Amino acid sequence: MHYFSADVLKVSEIFADATHLNDRARTKLINEIFPYEFETRYLVFTTPLDVCLEKNENRAGRAYVPRSVIRRMHYCFTIPIGENVWYVNEKGELTHE
């Protein structure tokens, strides 16, 4: 459960940064912020799995994520559906499809 303080009413944007979100998790989060009437937009980073695994090899200590976890997150991820979905490729280019 996410908890929002009264300060939420003072901001114009909330970012939920989660690489493992699926439809169920997104719906839960949106339902929690819905009373505040924020517009929902999604940024989907389309970095290929092999690039994610390669970049992970350069991480050390707690920053390193087991390969099996990255693969599971990749295969469980579901792309949001709707008009407010934007895609960011590995070059940082933004597209709206």
Side-chain angles (χ1 to χ4, degrees):
M1 161 127 330
H2 303 89
Y3 295 96
F4 298 97
S5 70
D7 291 335
V8 166
L9 300 174
K10 299 175 187 173
V11 299
S12 61
E13 296 178 327
I14 295 174
F15 292 90
D17 177 9
T19 57
H20 61 285
L21 287 180
N22 56 34
D23 289 333
R24 183 175 170 203
R26 280 190 291 272
T27 299
K28 183 177 177 182
L29 178 62
I30 289 169
N31 287 339
E32 290 176 18
I33 64 173
F34 180 75
Y36 300 108
E37 298 183 16
F38 284 97
E39 179 181 356
T40 305
R41 293 184 212 144
Y42 299 100
L43 282 178
V44 177
F45 292 83
T46 59
T47 308
L49 176 60
D50 60 328
V51 173
C52 293
L53 292 169
E54 182 181 322
K55 288 182 176 186
N56 186 56
E57 293 302 318
N58 295 324
R59 294 177 171 177
R62 293 188 65 184
Y64 179 82
V65 179
R67 293 173 70 86
S68 61
V69 171
I70 294 174
R71 282 192 184 94
R72 183 175 68 240
M73 290 171 67
H74 173 78
Y75 293 118
C76 291
F77 178 76
T78 57
I79 294 177
I81 298 171
E83 294 180 12
N84 290 329
V85 180
W86 294 80
Y87 299 90
V88 183
N89 65 23
E90 59 187 298
K91 295 177 184 178
E93 299 166 333
L94 185 68
T95 60
H96 181 65
E97 298 177 11

